[in-house]
Coordinates of all heavy atoms in Angstrom, one line a residue:
Chain A
F38 N 26.5 -71.8 13.3 CA 27.8 -71.5 12.7 C 28.3 -70.2 13.1 O 27.5 -69.3 13.3 CB 27.7 -71.5 11.2 CG 27.4 -72.9 10.6 CD1 26.7 -73.0 9.4 CD2 27.9 -74.0 11.2 CE1 26.5 -74.3 8.9 CE2 27.7 -75.3 10.7 CZ 27.0 -75.4 9.5
P40 N 30.6 -67.2 11.8 CA 31.5 -66.7 10.7 C 32.9 -66.3 11.2 O 33.0 -66.1 12.4 CB 30.7 -65.5 10.1 CG 29.8 -65.1 11.2 CD 29.5 -66.3 12.0
V41 N 33.8 -66.3 10.3 CA 35.2 -66.0 10.7 C 35.3 -64.8 11.6 O 35.8 -64.8 12.7 CB 36.1 -65.8 9.5 CG1 37.5 -65.2 9.9 CG2 36.3 -67.1 8.7
L61 N 55.9 -68.4 30.9 CA 55.9 -69.2 29.7 C 54.8 -70.3 29.7 O 54.3 -70.6 28.7 CB 57.3 -69.9 29.6 CG 58.4 -69.0 29.3 CD1 59.7 -69.8 29.1 CD2 58.1 -68.2 28.0
R64 N 51.6 -68.6 28.9 CA 51.7 -68.2 27.5 C 51.4 -69.3 26.5 O 50.7 -69.2 25.5 CB 53.1 -67.6 27.2 CG 53.1 -66.7 25.9 CD 54.4 -66.1 25.6 NE 54.3 -64.9 24.9 CZ 55.2 -64.3 24.2 NH1 56.4 -64.9 24.2 NH2 55.0 -63.2 23.6
D69 N 48.0 -72.4 22.9 CA 47.2 -73.6 22.5 C 45.8 -73.2 22.1 O 45.3 -73.6 21.1 CB 47.0 -74.5 23.7 CG 48.2 -75.4 23.9 OD1 49.2 -75.3 23.1 OD2 48.2 -76.3 24.8
F72 N 45.8 -71.5 18.6 CA 46.1 -72.4 17.5 C 44.9 -73.3 17.3 O 44.6 -73.7 16.2 CB 47.4 -73.1 17.7 CG 48.6 -72.2 17.6 CD1 49.4 -72.0 18.6 CD2 48.8 -71.5 16.4 CE1 50.5 -71.1 18.5 CE2 49.8 -70.6 16.3 CZ 50.7 -70.4 17.4
R73 N 44.2 -73.8 18.4 CA 43.0 -74.6 18.2 C 42.0 -73.9 17.4 O 41.3 -74.5 16.6 CB 42.5 -75.0 19.6 CG 43.2 -76.1 20.2 CD 42.4 -76.8 21.3 NE 43.2 -77.8 22.0 CZ 43.9 -77.7 23.1 NH1 43.9 -76.5 23.7 NH2 44.6 -78.7 23.6
P77 N 42.1 -75.2 12.1 CA 41.2 -75.7 11.1 C 41.1 -74.9 9.8 O 41.1 -75.4 8.7 CB 39.9 -75.9 11.8 CG 40.2 -76.0 13.2 CD 41.4 -75.1 13.4
E78 N 41.1 -73.6 10.0 CA 40.9 -72.7 8.8 C 42.2 -72.6 8.1 O 42.2 -72.4 6.8 CB 40.3 -71.4 9.2 CG 38.9 -71.6 9.7 CD 38.1 -70.3 9.8 OE1 38.3 -69.4 9.1 OE2 37.2 -70.3 10.7
H80 N 44.2 -75.1 7.8 CA 44.2 -76.4 7.0 C 43.3 -76.2 5.8 O 43.5 -76.7 4.7 CB 43.7 -77.5 7.9 CG 44.9 -78.2 8.7 ND1 45.7 -79.1 8.1 CD2 45.3 -78.0 9.9 CE1 46.6 -79.5 9.0 NE2 46.4 -78.8 10.1
R84 N 44.1 -76.6 1.8 CA 43.4 -77.5 0.9 C 42.7 -76.8 -0.3 O 42.4 -77.4 -1.3 CB 42.4 -78.4 1.7 CG 43.1 -79.6 2.3 CD 42.5 -80.0 3.6 NE 43.3 -81.1 4.1 CZ 44.4 -80.9 4.9 NH1 44.7 -79.7 5.2 NH2 45.1 -81.9 5.3
Q97 N 51.1 -76.8 8.2 CA 52.0 -76.9 9.3 C 53.0 -75.8 9.2 O 53.3 -75.1 10.2 CB 52.7 -78.2 9.4 CG 53.5 -78.4 10.7 CD 52.7 -78.4 12.0 OE1 51.4 -78.4 11.9 NE2 53.3 -78.3 13.1
L100 N 51.3 -72.6 10.2 CA 51.1 -72.4 11.7 C 52.5 -72.2 12.4 O 52.5 -71.4 13.3 CB 50.5 -73.7 12.2 CG 49.0 -73.9 11.8 CD1 48.5 -75.3 12.0 CD2 48.1 -72.9 12.5
M101 N 53.5 -72.8 11.9 CA 54.9 -72.5 12.5 C 55.2 -71.0 12.3 O 55.8 -70.4 13.2 CB 55.9 -73.4 11.9 CG 55.8 -74.8 12.3 SD 56.2 -75.0 14.0 CE 58.0 -75.0 14.0
R105 N 55.9 -68.4 15.3 CA 57.2 -67.7 15.5 C 57.1 -66.2 15.4 O 58.0 -65.5 15.9 CB 58.2 -68.2 14.4 CG 58.7 -69.6 14.6 CD 59.7 -69.9 13.5 NE 60.1 -71.3 13.7 CZ 60.0 -72.2 12.7 NH1 59.7 -71.9 11.5 NH2 60.4 -73.5 12.9
H108 N 54.3 -62.6 18.2 CA 54.7 -61.6 19.1 C 54.8 -60.2 18.3 O 54.8 -59.2 18.8 CB 56.0 -61.9 19.8 CG 57.2 -62.0 18.9 ND1 57.3 -63.0 18.0 CD2 58.3 -61.2 18.7 CE1 58.4 -62.9 17.3 NE2 59.0 -61.8 17.7
E150 N 38.3 -82.7 -2.0 CA 38.5 -82.6 -0.6 C 37.6 -81.5 0.0 O 37.0 -81.6 1.1 CB 40.0 -82.3 -0.3 CG 40.3 -81.9 1.1 CD 40.2 -82.9 2.1 OE1 40.0 -84.1 1.8 OE2 40.4 -82.6 3.3
L151 N 37.5 -80.4 -0.8 CA 36.7 -79.3 -0.3 C 35.2 -79.7 -0.2 O 34.5 -79.3 0.7 CB 36.8 -78.0 -1.2 CG 38.2 -77.4 -1.2 CD1 38.2 -76.1 -2.1 CD2 38.6 -77.0 0.2
E153 N 34.2 -82.6 0.4 CA 34.0 -83.5 1.6 C 34.0 -82.7 2.9 O 33.3 -83.0 3.9 CB 35.2 -84.5 1.7 CG 35.0 -85.6 0.6 CD 36.2 -86.5 0.5 OE1 37.0 -86.6 1.5 OE2 36.4 -87.2 -0.5
I154 N 34.8 -81.6 2.9 CA 34.8 -80.7 4.1 C 33.5 -80.1 4.3 O 32.9 -80.0 5.4 CB 36.0 -79.7 4.0 CG1 37.3 -80.3 4.1 CG2 35.8 -78.6 5.1 CD1 38.5 -79.4 3.8
A157 N 31.0 -82.5 5.6 CA 31.3 -82.8 7.0 C 30.5 -81.8 7.9 O 30.2 -82.2 9.0 CB 32.8 -82.7 7.3
S158 N 30.3 -80.6 7.4 CA 29.6 -79.6 8.2 C 28.1 -80.1 8.6 O 27.5 -79.6 9.5 CB 29.5 -78.3 7.5 OG 28.6 -78.3 6.4
K162 N 25.0 -79.3 11.4 CA 23.8 -78.7 10.9 C 23.5 -79.4 9.6 O 24.1 -79.2 8.6 CB 24.0 -77.2 10.6 CG 22.7 -76.4 10.3 CD 23.1 -74.9 10.2 CE 22.0 -74.1 9.5 NZ 22.4 -72.8 9.1
P163 N 22.4 -80.2 9.5 CA 22.2 -81.1 8.3 C 22.0 -80.2 7.1 O 21.5 -79.1 7.1 CB 20.9 -81.8 8.7 CG 20.8 -81.8 10.2 CD 21.5 -80.5 10.6
L164 N 22.5 -80.8 6.0 CA 22.3 -80.2 4.7 C 21.1 -80.6 4.0 O 20.8 -81.8 3.9 CB 23.5 -80.6 3.8 CG 24.9 -80.0 4.1 CD1 26.0 -81.0 3.8 CD2 25.1 -78.7 3.4
D168 N 20.4 -76.8 0.0 CA 21.8 -76.4 0.5 C 22.8 -77.1 -0.5 O 23.8 -76.4 -0.9 CB 22.1 -77.0 1.9 CG 21.3 -76.2 3.0 OD1 21.0 -75.0 2.7 OD2 21.1 -76.7 4.1
D171 N 23.0 -75.4 -3.8 CA 23.7 -74.1 -3.7 C 25.2 -74.3 -3.5 O 26.0 -73.5 -4.1 CB 23.2 -73.3 -2.4 CG 21.8 -72.7 -2.7 OD1 21.4 -72.7 -3.9 OD2 21.2 -72.2 -1.8
L172 N 25.6 -75.2 -2.7 CA 27.0 -75.5 -2.4 C 27.7 -75.9 -3.7 O 28.9 -75.5 -4.0 CB 27.2 -76.5 -1.3 CG 26.7 -76.1 0.1 CD1 27.0 -77.1 1.2 CD2 27.4 -74.8 0.5
A175 N 28.3 -73.0 -5.9 CA 29.4 -72.2 -5.5 C 30.7 -72.9 -5.8 O 31.7 -72.2 -6.2 CB 29.2 -71.9 -4.0
F194 N 34.9 -64.4 0.3 CA 33.7 -65.1 0.6 C 33.9 -66.3 1.5 O 33.1 -66.6 2.3 CB 33.0 -65.6 -0.7 CG 32.4 -64.4 -1.5 CD1 33.0 -64.1 -2.7 CD2 31.3 -63.8 -1.1 CE1 32.5 -63.0 -3.4 CE2 30.8 -62.7 -1.8 CZ 31.4 -62.3 -3.0
I195 N 35.1 -67.0 1.4 CA 35.3 -68.2 2.2 C 36.0 -67.8 3.5 O 35.6 -68.3 4.5 CB 36.1 -69.2 1.4 CG1 35.5 -69.5 0.0 CG2 36.3 -70.5 2.2 CD1 34.1 -70.0 0.0
D219 N 33.5 -58.1 -8.1 CA 32.2 -58.1 -8.9 C 32.5 -58.7 -10.2 O 31.7 -59.5 -10.7 CB 31.7 -56.7 -9.1 CG 31.0 -56.2 -7.8 OD1 30.8 -57.0 -6.9 OD2 30.5 -55.0 -7.8
L222 N 33.1 -62.4 -10.2 CA 31.8 -63.1 -10.0 C 31.1 -63.2 -11.3 O 30.6 -64.2 -11.7 CB 30.9 -62.4 -9.0 CG 31.1 -62.8 -7.5 CD1 30.1 -62.0 -6.6 CD2 30.8 -64.3 -7.3
Q226 N 30.2 -66.5 -13.4 CA 28.8 -66.8 -13.8 C 28.7 -67.1 -15.3 O 28.0 -68.0 -15.6 CB 27.9 -65.6 -13.4 CG 27.7 -65.4 -12.0 CD 26.5 -66.3 -11.5 OE1 26.8 -67.4 -11.1 NE2 25.3 -65.8 -11.5
Chain B
M112 N 26.1 -54.7 -8.4 CA 26.0 -56.1 -8.6 C 24.6 -56.4 -9.1 O 23.6 -55.9 -8.6 CB 26.2 -56.9 -7.3 CG 27.5 -57.6 -7.2 SD 27.4 -58.8 -5.9 CE 28.9 -58.5 -5.0
E115 N 21.7 -61.8 -10.2 CA 22.3 -63.1 -10.4 C 23.6 -63.1 -9.7 O 24.0 -64.1 -9.0 CB 22.6 -63.3 -11.9 CG 21.4 -63.8 -12.7 CD 20.8 -65.0 -12.1 OE1 21.5 -66.0 -11.9 OE2 19.5 -65.0 -11.9
T116 N 24.4 -62.0 -9.8 CA 25.7 -61.9 -9.1 C 25.5 -61.9 -7.6 O 26.2 -62.5 -6.8 CB 26.5 -60.7 -9.5 OG1 26.4 -60.6 -10.9 CG2 27.9 -60.8 -9.1
A119 N 24.9 -65.4 -6.5 CA 26.2 -66.2 -6.6 C 27.0 -65.8 -5.3 O 27.6 -66.7 -4.7 CB 27.0 -65.8 -7.8
A120 N 27.0 -64.6 -4.9 CA 27.7 -64.1 -3.8 C 27.2 -64.8 -2.5 O 27.9 -65.3 -1.6 CB 27.7 -62.6 -3.6
K122 N 25.6 -67.6 -2.3 CA 26.0 -69.1 -2.4 C 27.4 -69.3 -1.9 O 27.8 -70.2 -1.2 CB 25.8 -69.7 -3.8 CG 24.3 -69.8 -4.1 CD 24.1 -70.3 -5.5 CE 22.6 -70.2 -5.8 NZ 22.3 -70.5 -7.2
L123 N 28.3 -68.3 -2.3 CA 29.7 -68.4 -1.9 C 29.8 -68.2 -0.4 O 30.6 -68.9 0.2 CB 30.6 -67.4 -2.7 CG 30.9 -67.8 -4.1 CD1 31.5 -66.6 -4.9 CD2 32.0 -69.0 -4.1
R124 N 29.1 -67.3 0.1 CA 29.1 -67.1 1.5 C 28.7 -68.3 2.3 O 29.3 -68.7 3.3 CB 28.3 -65.9 1.9 CG 29.0 -64.5 1.8 CD 28.1 -63.4 2.3 NE 28.5 -62.2 1.5 CZ 27.8 -61.6 0.6 NH1 26.7 -62.1 0.2 NH2 28.3 -60.6 -0.1
K125 N 27.6 -68.9 1.8 CA 27.1 -70.2 2.4 C 28.2 -71.2 2.4 O 28.4 -72.0 3.3 CB 25.9 -70.7 1.6 CG 24.5 -70.3 2.2 CD 23.5 -71.2 1.6 CE 22.2 -70.5 1.5 NZ 21.2 -71.2 0.7
L126 N 28.8 -71.3 1.2 CA 29.9 -72.3 1.1 C 31.0 -72.0 2.1 O 31.5 -73.0 2.7 CB 30.5 -72.3 -0.4 CG 31.7 -73.2 -0.6 CD1 31.3 -74.7 -0.4 CD2 32.2 -73.0 -2.0
G127 N 31.3 -70.8 2.2 CA 32.3 -70.4 3.2 C 32.0 -70.8 4.6 O 32.8 -71.4 5.3
E128 N 30.7 -70.6 5.0 CA 30.2 -71.0 6.3 C 30.4 -72.5 6.5 O 30.8 -73.0 7.5 CB 28.8 -70.7 6.4 CG 28.5 -69.7 7.6 CD 27.0 -69.5 7.7 OE1 26.2 -70.5 8.1 OE2 26.6 -68.4 7.5
R129 N 30.0 -73.3 5.5 CA 30.0 -74.7 5.5 C 31.4 -75.3 5.5 O 31.7 -76.2 6.3 CB 29.2 -75.3 4.3 CG 27.7 -75.2 4.4 CD 27.2 -76.2 5.4 NE 25.7 -76.1 5.6 CZ 25.0 -76.9 6.3 NH1 25.6 -77.8 7.0 NH2 23.7 -76.7 6.5
L130 N 32.3 -74.6 4.8 CA 33.7 -75.1 4.7 C 34.4 -74.9 6.1 O 35.1 -75.7 6.6 CB 34.5 -74.4 3.6 CG 34.2 -74.9 2.2 CD1 34.9 -74.0 1.2 CD2 34.7 -76.3 2.0
R131 N 34.1 -73.7 6.7 CA 34.8 -73.4 7.9 C 34.2 -74.3 9.0 O 35.0 -74.9 9.8 CB 34.5 -71.9 8.3 CG 35.3 -71.0 7.4 CD 35.4 -69.6 7.9 NE 34.1 -69.0 8.2 CZ 33.3 -68.3 7.3 NH1 33.7 -68.2 6.1 NH2 32.2 -67.8 7.7
A132 N 32.9 -74.6 9.0 CA 32.4 -75.5 10.0 C 32.9 -76.9 9.8 O 33.2 -77.6 10.7 CB 30.8 -75.5 9.9
G133 N 33.0 -77.3 8.5 CA 33.4 -78.7 8.2 C 34.9 -78.8 8.5 O 35.3 -79.9 9.0
A134 N 35.7 -77.8 8.3 CA 37.1 -77.8 8.7 C 37.3 -78.0 10.2 O 38.2 -78.7 10.6 CB 37.8 -76.6 8.2
A135 N 36.5 -77.4 11.0 CA 36.6 -77.5 12.4 C 36.3 -79.0 12.8 O 36.9 -79.5 13.8 CB 35.6 -76.6 13.1
I136 N 35.5 -79.7 12.1 CA 35.2 -81.1 12.4 C 36.3 -82.0 11.8 O 36.7 -83.0 12.5 CB 33.8 -81.5 11.8 CG1 32.7 -80.7 12.5 CG2 33.5 -83.0 11.8 CD1 31.3 -80.7 11.9
R137 N 36.7 -81.8 10.6 CA 37.6 -82.7 9.9 C 39.1 -82.4 10.2 O 39.9 -83.3 10.1 CB 37.4 -82.6 8.4 CG 36.6 -83.7 7.8 CD 36.4 -83.4 6.3 NE 37.4 -84.0 5.5 CZ 37.3 -85.2 4.9 NH1 36.2 -85.9 5.0 NH2 38.2 -85.7 4.1
H138 N 39.4 -81.2 10.5 CA 40.8 -80.8 10.7 C 41.1 -80.1 12.0 O 41.8 -79.1 12.0 CB 41.3 -80.0 9.5 CG 41.3 -80.7 8.2 ND1 42.1 -81.8 7.9 CD2 40.4 -80.5 7.1 CE1 41.8 -82.2 6.7 NE2 40.8 -81.5 6.2
P139 N 40.7 -80.7 13.1 CA 41.1 -80.0 14.4 C 42.6 -80.3 14.5 O 43.1 -81.3 14.0 CB 40.3 -80.8 15.4 CG 40.0 -82.1 14.8 CD 39.9 -81.9 13.3
L140 N 43.3 -79.4 15.2 CA 44.7 -79.7 15.4 C 45.0 -80.9 16.3 O 44.3 -81.1 17.3 CB 45.4 -78.5 16.1 CG 45.6 -77.2 15.2 CD1 46.6 -76.3 15.8 CD2 46.0 -77.6 13.8
E142 N 47.3 -83.3 18.9 CA 48.1 -83.0 20.0 C 49.6 -82.9 19.5 O 50.3 -82.0 20.0 CB 48.0 -84.1 21.0 CG 48.6 -83.8 22.4 CD 48.2 -82.5 23.0 OE1 47.0 -82.1 22.9 OE2 49.1 -81.8 23.5
E144 N 50.6 -81.8 16.6 CA 50.7 -80.5 15.9 C 50.9 -79.4 17.0 O 51.7 -78.5 16.9 CB 49.5 -80.1 15.0 CG 49.5 -80.9 13.7 CD 48.2 -80.6 12.9 OE1 47.1 -81.0 13.5 OE2 48.2 -80.1 11.8
L145 N 50.0 -79.5 18.0 CA 50.1 -78.5 19.1 C 51.4 -78.5 19.8 O 52.0 -77.4 20.1 CB 49.0 -78.7 20.1 CG 47.6 -78.2 19.7 CD1 46.5 -78.7 20.7 CD2 47.6 -76.6 19.7
V147 N 54.4 -79.3 18.6 CA 55.4 -78.6 17.8 C 55.2 -77.1 17.8 O 56.2 -76.4 17.9 CB 55.2 -79.1 16.3 CG1 56.0 -78.3 15.3 CG2 55.6 -80.6 16.2
L148 N 54.0 -76.6 17.9 CA 53.8 -75.2 18.0 C 54.2 -74.6 19.3 O 54.7 -73.5 19.4 CB 52.3 -74.9 17.7 CG 51.8 -75.2 16.2 CD1 50.3 -75.1 16.1 CD2 52.5 -74.3 15.2
R149 N 53.9 -75.4 20.4 CA 54.4 -75.0 21.7 C 55.9 -74.8 21.8 O 56.4 -73.8 22.3 CB 54.0 -76.0 22.8 CG 52.6 -76.0 23.2 CD 52.3 -77.1 24.2 NE 50.9 -77.5 24.2 CZ 50.4 -78.7 24.1 NH1 51.2 -79.7 24.0 NH2 49.1 -78.9 24.0
A151 N 57.8 -74.1 19.3 CA 58.1 -72.9 18.5 C 57.9 -71.6 19.3 O 58.7 -70.7 19.3 CB 57.3 -72.8 17.2
V152 N 56.8 -71.6 20.0 CA 56.4 -70.5 20.9 C 57.5 -70.3 22.0 O 57.9 -69.2 22.3 CB 55.0 -70.6 21.5 CG1 54.8 -69.7 22.6 CG2 54.0 -70.4 20.4
Q155 N 60.7 -69.0 20.6 CA 60.6 -67.6 20.2 C 60.7 -66.7 21.5 O 61.3 -65.7 21.5 CB 59.3 -67.4 19.4 CG 59.2 -66.0 18.8 CD 58.9 -65.0 19.9 OE1 58.0 -65.2 20.7 NE2 59.6 -63.8 19.9
A156 N 60.0 -67.2 22.5 CA 60.0 -66.4 23.8 C 61.4 -66.3 24.4 O 61.8 -65.3 24.9 CB 59.0 -67.0 24.8
Q159 N 63.4 -63.9 22.4 CA 63.0 -62.5 22.7 C 63.7 -62.1 24.0 O 64.1 -60.9 24.1 CB 61.5 -62.5 22.9 CG 60.8 -61.3 22.4 CD 59.3 -61.4 22.5 OE1 58.7 -62.5 22.6 NE2 58.6 -60.3 22.4

Side-chain angles (χ1 to χ4, degrees):
Chain A
F38 289 151
V41 171
L61 290 183
R64 199 178 209 200
D69 275 6
F72 292 117
R73 280 197 183 97
E78 293 193 30
H80 273 278
R84 279 152 183 82
Q97 188 63 10
L100 289 165
M101 287 292 282
R105 289 184 184 127
H108 64 292
E150 167 72 5
L151 294 182
E153 285 173 22
I154 292 173
S158 70
K162 187 177 165 191
L164 286 149
D168 286 338
D171 284 350
L172 295 181
F194 290 108
I195 308 301
D219 282 358
L222 270 180
Q226 284 278 88
Chain B
M112 253 199 225
E115 282 302 310
T116 315
K122 288 175 187 174
L123 279 169
R124 276 185 208 104
K125 260 197 215 172
L126 176 63
E128 238 186 67
R129 285 284 176 180
L130 283 174
R131 293 193 303 273
I136 293 166
R137 260 175 91 99
H138 297 291
L140 286 199
E142 193 50 41
E144 282 174 303
L145 277 171
V147 169
L148 295 172
R149 279 178 206 131
V152 164
Q155 187 285 314
Q159 214 174 344

